[in-house]
Amino acid sequence: MSAAAVPRLRVNWLGLALPAGLLLALELWLRLSNITTESLAPPSEVFVTLLENLANGRLPAATLKTLTGAFGGLLMGGIPGLLLGIAFALVPALDRAMEVTIEALRPIPSVALLPVALMVFGFGYGMEFAIVGKSCFFMMLILTRAAVRGVEPRLREVSRVLRLSKPAMVWKIILPAILPRLFVAFRLGASLALVVSVTIEIAVNPQGLGYEIMTAREALRPDLMLACFIWIGLVGLGLNAGLLLAQRKLFGRAALAGEGVK
Amino acid sequence: MRYLLTSGLMGRGVSVLVAAGVVWIWLLISRSGAISPLFLPGPDKAWASLLRGFENGVLLRQTLGTLQHMFFGWLVASVVAVGLGSVIGISPLARRIFSPLLEFLRPLPASAVIPIAIAFMGLSNAMAIFVITFGTLWPILLSTVQGFSSVEPRLYEVAKALRMGRIETIRKIVLPSALPDILAGMRISVTAALILSVVCEMIAGLDGLGHYIMVSARLYRSPDLFAGVILLGAIGYVSSTLVSMAEARLLRWRDRGH
Amino acid sequence: MPFVTALPKFSFSGATLAFGQKPILRNISFDIPAGQFTCIIGASGCGKTTALRLAAGLYQPTQGAVLFDGEPMSAPRADVAIVFQDYGKALLPWRTAFGNVSLAMEAGGVPKAGRADRIEELLALVGLAGQGGKYPTEMSGGMQQRLQIARCLAQNPSVLLMDEPFGALDAMTRQGLQDEVLELVARTQTTVIFVTHDLEEAIYLGDRVIGLLPHPGRVGIDVPVNLPRPRDQLATREEPEFLRLRRELFDFIKGSEA
Amino acid sequence: MPFVTALPKFSFSGATLAFGQKPILRNISFDIPAGQFTCIIGASGCGKTTALRLAAGLYQPTQGAVLFDGEPMSAPRADVAIVFQDYGKALLPWRTAFGNVSLAMEAGGVPKAGRADRIEELLALVGLAGQGGKYPTEMSGGMQQRLQIARCLAQNPSVLLMDEPFGALDAMTRQGLQDEVLELVARTQTTVIFVTHDLEEAIYLGDRVIGLLPHPGRVGIDVPVNLPRPRDQLATREEPEFLRLRRELFDFIKGSEA
Amino acid sequence: QKIRIGCTSSADCGTAMVAADNGIFEKMGLDVEMTRIALNSNIPPALLSNSLEIGGPTSSVFLQAADGGLDLVAVAGASYMHEASNEGTVAVIRDGVTIEKAADFAGKKVGVPGFGAYIHILFVRYLMENGVDPASVNLVETSFPSMPDVIRTGAVDAVLSGGPIVARILESKTGHLGPKFVSELGGDAPIIFYAATRDWATANPEAVQKFRAAIAEAAALIEADREVAIASVAKFTEQKPELVRATPPSKYKPEITADGLGWWLDLMKKQNLLQGSVDAANLLAP
Ligand SMILES: Nc1ncnc2c1ncn2[C@@H]1O[C@H](COP(=O)(O)OP(=O)(O)OP(=O)(O)O)[C@@H](O)[C@H]1O
Ligand SMILES: Nc1ncnc2c1ncn2[C@@H]1O[C@H](COP(=O)(O)OP(=O)(O)OP(=O)(O)O)[C@@H](O)[C@H]1O
Ligand SMILES: [Mg+2]
Ligand SMILES: [Mg+2]
């Protein structure tokens, strides 16, 4: 509960123990069991490959492309999703009217639409923005709507009796009240965007980290493939830590409201 | 008026009308020829293909395959996520042990996990369920943890004052209080499970609509592809409606009173 | 008292309210002239809060009407302020005391320049001078209650609806605030509906006391308070009329619970 | 009064509490023998709630100690029940009145068979007979407050800590509950610490009244109440000793606010 | 004007890779960029959306696209079936399973790299020619890199594969060689060829001519020295050169004929992989 008070930069040795143990086990297993596979490589080799490709600039360049695709899509889909989510929660009639449409479009896997997207947008960012955007749009919509519905009803009454205009109510009551949940949604959205853009790159789009994974796999280089894989995990980790830090720095107490102050 | 709109049947009716309008727009677009019918066939063609697919039994089998993957993956994910989320939410020690690994795993695309999963488990349904679980875990896990941390502090004190044990506190105070969050996460996950079933079927070639769509796309049979997409939409709609109904029932206390 | 029969500020005519099948208030009728200080008393759970919410426009009667200046009260109004009974829930936890009061001014479109001084003034009025920087969670129950009153006053309302606003206050603070409210009302000609469970408070403050009977809530008693103003905490409470009223209301409550 | 100097139930010795730099309570010292009914009064924001939370083990003193049966009160205990001031937050919104009371019994390990009757009995005791099916949001403020009391009684506590438990109740209900509590305490030998802002209530209920001075909170007055038991709502309040105490405490509060 | 050429990670487009690496395109005045494409079936839509000017689809992908209504034309030939490479595409059988002839496949689970793709079509033809009902074989899609894993874990009884994967499985001692079904069939039809949209090909007849000339020159270069191809393929696919060398060499022909396409058309019609009627002669760029 007093997490905010704990100095941030303390190394979490305990947390590192678990992944380290798993890696060690994998290394030993691969070295000792002598199996043939094009999908796994000993962690030590992967580590060396990772460093090599970081140093020669290949992974950083790919990372930039993937992140551009992911964040572009997140913003393009997430912001409308957020606004609509609030609108839907505040205007139940609208929510009801759109329900069937939304619920029927939402689960359509964007991957299934990749051939269409490829034809409409071609290779490059356009396709990534569109497909990542679609996924993030619905996710933000759902999460925001749930968050707004959870706002203490008395606070909404306060805004009614103060005759706050709708925008003022959203800005002064709803948004601050849902801020903590919004951040969770945004963080979820960011990882979803990363996952989706990598998937698109694996399947279709010849750029970014997913493309590197695909290439490595087809070139029968499991070490390179896993290095990309690990790198994506690290990028996501950094991203999340960065967002958390930003949350604390930018919003401080407001973002933690309702997270047990007393 | 507002009351009428928001209530029961009438709202549902309007909702269906809006959806019908969307289909109509789709029809207009496909008729206009702005997009090649190769990529966007009209809803009429897709519907015809859908009926054909069910007549010869192919679609039914694929649908069952997808449903199976999706359901079990989601179920396992829900159990694992709520369990893990509870442990992390309640114990700072567990949080320290698990969170780095989890934060690292979270952004890994499930699609890229598939080859590794195949290396361990082969082309089995267990592999698919593992991958789906892996990919759908996160929304539930995060909302569970979030739900835990936003419990009204006074209620924690009530639990302390009643000398409730950890497990009991979780079961009786924290989980119910976090339930709205958890259910929202589960609602997202049920869709994610569907998407991942499709991805698994596409990449690992398991029986299901994903594979059907993939083959249709490869053969440029776009009406078949859209028939599959329509079915996926329908499955998604029905499953998330079921979750919503469960949600409404479990959270009925929320709609009472002022 | 003026002779002209001006339009009453509030007019409850046969207002009835039910939640689902359950009737909460039945056939409530009374008029409240502008500038009158009306107190509502009644046993716990008899419907005082519900009646006040009707007056605020937060609920709509299922039958009958609640008129404000002759118009149906179909939604809350900017010049009608309400102090909620559950003060803890009605404050924004992410804003300081200062910010919470400021909210009402922002809503009213008060330009930024003039706010700070007025806010300090209001905080001082309710005995929270210098506490503007505290968050609601850092304040005691009574302080939160007073903060909510300050926010309502910041609205510059022409009507004040107060639901047990002094419930969590000690006798001294309470008496101080009672006198502040009386002074303010006299100065600004504000119309007040004041819910309280404290009979002496009702008599001390009111021009009139309405008592509700429970199950369902109805008007059981409606007496004028003919005590001279300005009132005085010691002198007024010793007047025979005060004691007589207290007896009368006490008997009413006693009878209503039997 | 027995001659043996038995171990006091509670012993505050030099208890001091600060949040960050800000001292809230300073050097609080007093003993509370088992079975005593102690009332705490003081101006709004003086630290009554904080002192009670120390006694409950919800806060730890920054200096000095709070001993329970001679042991430091380092965590809440099952036989010490606390009634929170903000009743609205202390109830589980997803459980009915019945379920909220049941919680305490579940926590105490009462077998399911015996619960229902006892719960109904407790609900009746606080005047909520037949209202067990309501959710907290469907209850009035006073009803919620009484519900919380019922839940505390369900703990079968040997010590009751009550923070303005009757704040939202009308005079009659309040007097009824005062007498219920007195009767219960006399029967079960419960030790009570009772925070109130109502001086008459403090005198009527207590064996002893402690008054706190604000900024920071300190003990300012500590007087025994030598009124015979059982007490009577009419007779007791007319005794000269009652009136004398009321005067004394009133002056104390008045002085403390100046 | 830039010409983007999209190929999958295989040696089939070796001529384009060599032409790009050895400055042949440049010499012809073509500004070329090579792009690696994940899935062969992504090439036709990529051509259509103008993400690529020229791509290397397999014959089956090309014909299915044309059958579906995509207006594509063949521009030049790339790789062809011939003895050496036919030899390399085989069934690898999991140890413990006996499959020696076509009939043995009945009731077995077999991993194929892609439904409706080159190997799949040839395999079905092999079954049909040997009187085995294709429906009696349980085919599952398995990407090349997963093949060693599915054989090792016992997920399938056999895989249809080629190139370095076969060697890897044999090395790991989890499987052995089965029927060489492609060479049993024979044939010299195109495997992969260069294609473009009809619009682009008609609008840029010069570029098409120069491209053909460059491909022909590259084919001659490879004919003379295989190492040139190995270096370029290794560079493009990022595979290790040893790996490329260990694979049976592809055979390149710069021409593409209606006959070669016709062979595939017949085959695919028989397997009901085409719905409409496509005229092979109409699919060649002028
Ligand atoms: N939202 C609701 N749904 C159903 N019943 C309700 C609701 N709100 C109030 N009630 C019921 O209406 C009755 C009156 O409630 P109300 O809050 O008006 O009482 P009150 O007079 O303000 O009591 P108190 O003095 O205890 O605050 C109660 O019996 C309560 O249970
Ligand atoms: N969590 C906290 N952080 C900082 N200050 C606090 C906190 N809780 C209480 N305080 C301060 O401590 C003082 C005493 O608070 P407390 O709630 O004990 O008062 P109280 O006597 O119960 O008042 P009331 O009768 O109004 O409920 C107040 O000035 C309050 O602002
Ligand atoms: Mg009330
Ligand atoms: Mg208090």
Side-chain angles (χ1 to χ4, degrees):
Chain A
M1 247 183 234
S2 57
V6 177
R8 275 310 299 169
L9 277 174
R10 215 174 50 190
V11 178
N12 180 355
W13 294 112
L14 216 54
L16 292 180
L18 191 59
L22 288 177
L23 285 182
L24 194 68
L26 185 63
E27 176 96 30
L28 288 177
W29 180 61
L30 281 177
R31 297 249 179 234
L32 297 179
S33 72
N34 194 22
I35 68 166
T36 300
T37 169
E38 301 303 336
S39 308
L40 295 174
S44 54
E45 264 175 46
V46 173
F47 184 67
V48 172
T49 311
L50 177 62
L51 289 187
E52 254 169 37
N53 284 281
L54 280 177
N56 67 23
R58 176 175 179 159
L59 279 184
T63 309
L64 191 67
K65 293 215 156 136
T66 298
L67 287 183
T68 310
F71 272 88
L74 178 61
L75 294 183
M76 283 183 214
I79 292 177
L82 178 119
L83 297 178
L84 265 186
I86 293 178
F88 279 15
L90 295 184
V91 189
L94 185 64
D95 192 13
R96 277 315 206 108
M98 295 302 296
E99 187 196 326
V100 172
T101 310
I102 295 282
E103 289 303 315
L105 290 181
R106 187 167 70 92
I108 292 178
S110 17
V111 232
L113 298 174
L114 273 176
V116 184
L118 175 57
M119 136 89 182
V120 176
F121 296 100
F123 294 142
Y125 288 127
M127 149 173 34
E128 260 180 66
F129 290 161
I131 300 231
V132 172
K134 183 218 164 247
S135 312
C136 293
F137 171 79
F138 285 109
M139 160 154 203
M140 284 305 261
L141 177 82
I142 299 277
L143 286 180
T144 318
R145 186 174 59 180
V148 174
R149 286 195 181 147
V151 173
E152 165 64 48
R154 193 68 73 251
L155 289 182
R156 276 167 81 171
E157 285 183 352
V158 166
S159 77
R160 281 179 69 200
V161 298
L162 287 178
R163 304 277 304 173
L164 285 175
S165 63
K166 283 263 161 161
M169 164 165 98
V170 168
W171 184 245
K172 294 184 173 173
I173 309 267
I174 305 286
L175 277 181
I178 63 173
L179 207 55
R181 286 194 167 81
L182 215 54
F183 261 102
V184 173
F186 188 70
R187 265 156 53 207
L188 271 174
S191 11
L192 178 74
L194 189 61
V195 168
V196 174
S197 55
V198 171
T199 305
I200 298 172
E201 289 160 2
I202 290 180
V204 183
N205 208 11
Q207 67 177 32
L209 290 170
Y211 180 59
E212 296 295 336
I213 285 198
M214 188 279 298
T215 308
R217 188 163 145 74
E218 305 230 303
L220 306 184
R221 291 274 314 272
D223 57 327
L224 183 54
M225 178 182 103
L226 289 173
C228 293
F229 195 67
I230 301 278
W231 178 242
I232 292 173
L234 293 177
V235 167
L237 195 68
L239 208 63
N240 191 51
L243 286 178
L244 265 179
L245 201 71
Q247 171 180 358
R248 293 225 178 86
K249 281 256 142 51
L250 280 177
F251 295 96
R253 184 177 181 98
L256 298 174
E259 282 193 16
V261 182
K262 190 160 184 176
Chain B
M1 186 60 216
R2 166 94 152 282
Y3 181 68
L4 265 184
L5 262 186
T6 54
S7 75
L9 276 181
M10 173 107 175
R12 190 53 52 105
V14 170
S15 182
V16 171
L17 275 184
V18 171
V22 172
V23 174
W24 184 64
I25 293 175
W26 172 14
L27 186 68
L28 286 191
I29 294 180
S30 73
R31 290 271 163 86
S32 77
I35 300 181
S36 151
L38 201 57
F39 292 102
L40 189 75
D44 42 347
K45 298 243 172 59
W47 183 249
S49 156
L50 187 71
L51 293 184
R52 204 170 341 108
F54 270 109
E55 263 161 37
N56 63 27
V58 175
L59 273 181
L60 186 66
R61 201 182 75 226
Q62 310 288 15
T63 306
L64 289 180
T66 300
L67 282 178
Q68 203 183 14
H69 294 146
M70 166 182 163
F71 178 72
F72 286 108
W74 180 70
L75 197 68
V76 176
S78 302
V79 172
V80 172
V82 172
L84 205 58
S86 309
V87 173
I88 292 176
I90 206 75
S91 150
L93 181 71
R95 173 179 285 233
R96 273 178 60 206
I97 293 180
F98 286 114
S99 65
L101 182 65
L102 291 176
E103 284 300 322
F104 168 76
L105 291 176
R106 189 154 65 87
L108 292 180
S111 43
V113 173
I114 293 176
I116 299 179
I118 292 178
F120 285 101
M121 290 184 252
L123 290 174
S124 55
N125 282 334
M127 187 278 300
I129 288 170
F130 170 81
V131 172
I132 295 166
T133 300
F134 178 87
T136 50
L137 194 67
W138 313 107
I140 314 180
L141 184 69
L142 257 84
S143 357
T144 306
V145 173
Q146 158 70 25
F148 269 57
S149 65
S150 54
V151 176
E152 165 64 46
R154 193 69 72 251
L155 292 183
Y156 273 127
E157 291 183 347
V158 168
K160 271 200 223 162
L162 289 175
R163 299 283 301 173
M164 291 168 61
R166 274 217 168 158
I167 305 289
E168 202 180 4
T169 307
I170 293 180
R171 218 161 54 81
K172 295 192 173 152
I173 307 262
V174 188
L175 277 182
S177 156
L179 202 60
D181 284 302
I182 295 177
L183 288 173
M186 285 175 73
R187 205 128 83 86
I188 289 180
S189 285
V190 84
T191 315
L194 178 59
I195 295 176
L196 279 176
S197 310
V198 169
V199 173
C200 274
E201 289 154 11
M202 282 182 165
I203 296 187
L206 298 174
D207 253 0
L209 288 170
H211 193 227
Y212 183 78
I213 286 178
M214 171 95 148
V215 172
S216 305
R218 229 187 268 145
L219 300 180
Y220 302 96
R221 291 182 182 159
S222 54
D224 291 359
L225 187 154
F226 275 81
V229 169
I230 291 174
L231 264 182
L232 288 177
I235 293 178
Y237 179 70
V238 170
S239 55
S240 76
T241 305
L242 288 179
V243 179
S244 298
M245 276 161 59
E247 199 174 348
R249 200 175 147 60
L250 288 170
L251 301 182
R252 62 187 180 283
W253 54 270
R254 256 214 319 206
D255 304 324
R256 301 276 194 100
H258 40 247
Chain C
M1 292 252 158
F3 276 106
V4 282
T5 44
L7 203 61
K9 200 77 185 165
F10 278 105
S11 173
F12 279 64
S13 58
T16 295
L17 188 90
F19 289 120
Q21 289 306 312
K22 225 196 112 194
I24 306 290
L25 293 177
R26 187 157 71 208
N27 201 16
I28 305 274
S29 296
F30 53 77
D31 286 354
I32 295 182
Q36 193 179 57
F37 200 122
T38 308
C39 293
I40 298 187
I41 59 162
S44 173
C46 72
K48 303 183 292 296
T49 297
T50 310
L52 206 68
R53 295 170 72 87
L54 272 177
L58 286 170
Y59 287 160
Q60 295 302 315
T62 28
Q63 279 168 45
V66 176
L67 304 178
F68 181 88
D69 281 342
E71 302 284 320
M73 187 79 179
S74 56
R77 303 171 47 99
D79 54 344
V80 177
I82 178 166
V83 177
F84 290 98
Q85 185 174 10
D86 37 6
Y87 47 89
K89 290 180 174 174
L91 298 168
L92 313 190
W94 58 87
R95 286 198 181 207
T96 58
F98 188 96
N100 267 285
V101 179
S102 167
L103 181 71
M105 303 196 154
E106 296 162 24
V110 179
K112 188 151 193 179
R115 283 185 217 152
D117 288 348
R118 175 95 178 107
I119 294 173
E120 290 302 344
E121 199 180 296
L122 286 168
L123 287 176
L125 185 78
V126 297
L128 291 176
Q131 316 253 32
K134 282 192 174 149
Y135 286 93
T137 44
E138 295 172 338
M139 304 179 95
S140 75
M143 292 162 81
Q144 293 180 16
Q145 219 170 24
R146 286 177 276 154
L147 177 56
Q148 208 202 161
I149 296 174
R151 186 174 69 195
C152 284
L153 296 180
Q155 270 180 273
N156 276 330
S158 73
V159 176
L160 254 177
L161 307 176
M162 305 178 92
D163 198 355
E164 311 205 4
F166 304 148
L169 300 176
D170 62 290
M172 278 306 298
T173 312
R174 186 172 193 139
Q175 293 192 358
L177 279 177
Q178 286 169 352
D179 290 337
E180 290 288 358
V181 166
L182 283 184
E183 195 273 326
L184 184 114
V185 164
R187 185 156 42 81
T188 56
Q189 294 293 319
T190 312
T191 311
V192 183
I193 307 184
F194 190 103
V195 170
T196 178
H197 55 258
D198 181 335
L199 305 182
E200 296 198 12
E201 183 170 76
I203 304 166
Y204 180 74
L205 292 174
D207 295 317
R208 166 192 190 184
V209 178
I210 296 178
L212 297 186
L213 289 170
H215 311 302
R218 312 139 278 154
V219 176
I221 194 173
D222 186 348
V223 290
V225 180
N226 292 315
L227 289 165
R229 289 189 188 269
R231 301 199 176 150
D232 177 88
Q233 293 287 358
L234 294 177
T236 300
R237 287 176 198 262
E238 281 165 7
E239 298 225 7
E241 171 71 359
F242 187 95
L243 299 175
R244 190 190 63 72
L245 278 169
R246 191 173 75 169
R247 177 96 256 163
E248 184 177 350
L249 293 177
F250 188 81
D251 288 344
F252 164 73
I253 296 278
K254 197 161 177 177
S256 85
E257 302 221 333
Chain D
M1 292 253 161
F3 276 105
V4 282
T5 46
L7 204 57
K9 199 75 186 168
F10 277 105
S11 175
F12 278 65
S13 58
T16 295
L17 187 90
F19 288 123
Q21 289 306 312
K22 223 198 114 192
I24 306 289
L25 294 176
R26 186 157 72 209
N27 202 17
I28 306 275
S29 296
F30 53 76
D31 287 354
I32 295 183
Q36 196 180 55
F37 199 123
T38 307
C39 292
I40 298 187
I41 59 163
S44 172
C46 72
K48 303 182 293 295
T49 296
T50 310
L52 204 70
R53 293 170 71 87
L54 273 177
L58 288 170
Y59 287 160
Q60 294 302 315
T62 27
Q63 279 169 46
V66 176
L67 304 178
F68 181 89
D69 282 341
E71 303 285 322
M73 185 78 179
S74 56
R77 303 172 46 101
D79 54 345
V80 176
I82 179 164
V83 178
F84 290 97
Q85 185 174 10
D86 38 7
Y87 47 88
K89 291 180 174 174
L91 297 168
L92 313 189
W94 55 87
R95 285 196 179 209
T96 59
F98 188 96
N100 266 285
V101 178
S102 167
L103 182 75
M105 302 194 156
E106 296 162 24
V110 179
K112 186 151 192 179
R115 282 184 219 153
D117 288 348
R118 175 96 179 104
I119 294 173
E120 290 301 344
E121 197 179 297
L122 286 168
L123 286 176
L125 185 76
V126 296
L128 290 177
Q131 317 254 30
K134 284 192 174 150
Y135 286 94
T137 43
E138 296 175 314
M139 304 179 95
S140 76
M143 291 161 81
Q144 293 179 20
Q145 217 169 27
R146 287 177 275 154
L147 177 57
Q148 207 200 165
I149 296 173
R151 185 174 68 195
C152 284
L153 296 181
Q155 267 180 276
N156 276 330
S158 74
V159 176
L160 254 177
L161 307 175
M162 305 176 94
D163 197 355
E164 311 206 6
F166 305 147
L169 298 177
D170 63 289
M172 279 305 301
T173 312
R174 187 173 193 140
Q175 293 192 358
L177 280 177
Q178 285 170 352
D179 290 336
E180 290 288 357
V181 166
L182 283 184
E183 194 275 326
L184 185 112
V185 164
R187 183 156 43 83
T188 55
Q189 293 294 318
T190 312
T191 311
V192 183
I193 307 184
F194 191 103
V195 169
T196 177
H197 55 260
D198 181 335
L199 305 183
E200 295 198 14
E201 182 170 77
I203 304 166
Y204 180 74
L205 293 173
D207 293 318
R208 166 194 191 184
V209 178
I210 296 178
L212 296 187
L213 288 170
H215 311 300
R218 304 143 280 158
V219 175
I221 194 173
D222 188 347
V223 289
V225 179
N226 292 316
L227 288 165
R229 291 188 185 269
R231 301 202 175 148
D232 176 88
Q233 291 287 0
L234 295 177
T236 302
R237 285 177 200 261
E238 282 166 8
E239 299 226 6
E241 170 72 357
F242 187 93
L243 299 174
R244 191 191 60 73
L245 277 169
R246 192 174 74 169
R247 175 99 257 164
E248 184 176 353
L249 293 178
F250 188 81
D251 289 343
F252 164 74
I253 295 279
K254 197 161 178 176
S256 85
E257 302 221 332
Chain E
Q1 178 218 9
K2 190 165 224 154
I3 298 181
R4 287 161 298 179
I5 302 180
C7 290
T8 46
S9 276
S10 71
D12 296 283
C13 286
T15 41
M17 299 170 198
V18 167
D21 274 357
N22 295 278
I24 302 178
F25 284 135
E26 220 167 292
K27 199 173 67 188
M28 299 276 174
L30 294 178
D31 178 10
V32 163
E33 181 187 295
M34 298 288 295
T35 306
R36 226 170 17 215
I37 306 295
L39 265 178
N40 198 282
S41 54
N42 284 338
I43 291 177
L47 287 172
L48 225 71
S49 65
N50 297 323
S51 294
L52 298 175
E53 275 70 42
I54 293 178
T58 60
S59 308
S60 53
V61 162
F62 178 88
L63 288 174
Q64 278 156 359
D67 177 54
L70 271 71
D71 205 6
L72 302 178
V73 289
V75 171
S79 60
Y80 276 78
M81 299 169 69
H82 74 125
E83 275 164 40
S85 63
N86 288 354
E87 204 40 32
T89 305
V90 297
V92 183
I93 316 297
R94 178 161 59 88
D95 283 348
V97 176
T98 342
I99 295 178
E100 278 155 4
K101 51 187 189 305
D104 295 341
F105 280 106
K108 295 290 191 304
K109 198 170 178 186
V110 179
V112 293
F115 280 178
Y118 170 73
I119 291 187
H120 179 215
I121 294 175
L122 293 181
F123 182 65
V124 171
R125 160 131 194 255
Y126 163 77
L127 292 178
M128 284 160 67
E129 293 218 330
N130 288 286
V132 181
D133 178 7
S136 70
V137 183
N138 182 4
L139 294 173
V140 289
E141 270 199 354
T142 312
S143 66
F144 282 116
S146 296
M147 285 180 174
D149 292 322
V150 293
I151 285 284
R152 177 172 49 80
T153 56
V156 297
D157 299 313
V159 293
L160 308 181
S161 189
I165 289 291
V166 176
R168 295 287 279 150
I169 298 178
L170 296 182
E171 251 171 53
S172 74
K173 305 211 170 23
T174 50
H176 55 274
L177 278 183
K180 301 187 169 177
F181 63 98
V182 182
S183 51
E184 281 183 36
L185 281 175
D188 59 354
I191 301 173
I192 273 184
F193 51 85
Y194 300 104
T197 60
R198 192 181 298 278
D199 288 347
W200 186 83
T202 11
N204 300 284
E206 269 164 63
V208 171
Q209 292 310 327
K210 287 180 186 165
F211 177 80
R212 280 185 183 146
I215 292 297
E217 192 176 332
L221 201 63
I222 296 173
E223 197 65 38
D225 180 4
R226 190 182 168 219
E227 284 304 313
V228 184
I230 290 175
S232 292
V233 169
K235 184 173 160 217
F236 179 75
T237 62
E238 302 190 20
Q239 290 174 356
K240 297 183 181 112
E242 312 86 81
L243 215 64
V244 180
R245 196 172 291 114
T247 320
S250 294
K251 174 138 187 275
Y252 303 106
K253 253 198 256 172
E255 309 81 31
I256 176 95
T257 61
D259 283 354
L261 287 181
W263 188 84
W264 280 102
L265 268 178
D266 285 346
L267 202 56
M268 289 171 70
K269 274 195 190 129
K270 270 188 207 140
Q271 298 184 21
N272 281 327
L273 288 170
L274 301 178
Q275 289 169 314
S277 59
V278 196
D279 178 9
N282 193 28
L283 294 176
L284 301 179

